[in-house]
Amino acid sequence: MTLTRVVLASGRTIGLSHLRLSSTYGGLLEGYPHQALNDRRVKRLLAAATTGFPRTPTHLVPPPREHPEDGRADATRPFGPVQILPPVACIGLFESAPVAPDIDPVLHGSALTIVWFQATPQPPSGHDADPGLREVAWEELAEDYEI
């Protein structure tokens, strides 16, 4: 049973069967978000996705990176300019009909673990999902499996 369905830009519908949400900057007690910190957070999230769902390929939707200071304080900040990712980090296991056209859709499906960031803790749904998530090239990234 799926939690929700997302319609990709290609028209394919994918079902979300597992969802993990976390605060992007949960646990950040000192300092400020910057590129190196964000790169480490993304790397850890990808590792968690791969470990959590080892039987499916994992794909990262590149997150938008906001620079609220617009480079004005670069010289005074020890780690470079402030760089902010969306506040909610997401790992989702999605499933759909098989990618290969020559296999039985009753006995097969396709799956892909996707990592993305979004503004709210609401599960993605329908055509209203994050645009980056809706642009995922399912046919190239997902892997078929036998039920």
Side-chain angles (χ1 to χ4, degrees):
M1 186 167 144
T2 60
L3 300 171
T4 185
R5 296 188 186 285
V6 173
V7 180
L8 299 179
S10 67
R12 177 185 283 268
T13 299
I14 58 176
L16 177 62
S17 60
H18 292 80
L19 177 62
R20 295 180 187 170
L21 302 176
S22 61
S23 170
T24 299
Y25 298 113
L28 181 63
L29 301 175
E30 288 186 24
Y32 62 95
H34 52 85
Q35 182 174 349
L37 174 82
N38 290 336
D39 290 347
R40 285 192 304 272
R41 297 227 176 214
V42 169
K43 185 177 178 180
R44 283 189 203 124
L45 200 61
L46 281 168
T50 302
T51 301
F53 303 103
R55 293 192 175 127
T56 62
T58 300
H59 173 69
L60 170 69
V61 174
R65 296 174 184 243
E66 193 176 312
H67 298 89
E69 295 178 340
D70 222 4
R72 292 173 294 203
D74 293 355
T76 61
R77 298 220 181 251
F79 302 109
V82 173
Q83 183 187 80
I84 300 173
L85 298 174
V88 182
C90 309
I91 298 173
L93 175 61
F94 291 88
E95 297 174 308
S96 186
V99 174
D102 58 337
I103 59 176
D104 186 349
V106 174
L107 300 175
H108 297 85
S110 59
L112 178 64
T113 301
I114 304 176
V115 174
W116 77 100
F117 292 80
Q118 62 185 33
T120 69
Q122 303 303 318
S125 182
H127 295 278
D128 297 327
D130 177 85
L133 182 60
R134 292 194 63 234
E135 292 294 328
V136 166
W138 188 269
E139 286 72 15
E140 298 168 23
L141 300 168
E143 190 173 278
D144 288 335
Y145 64 89
E146 187 174 0
I147 298 174

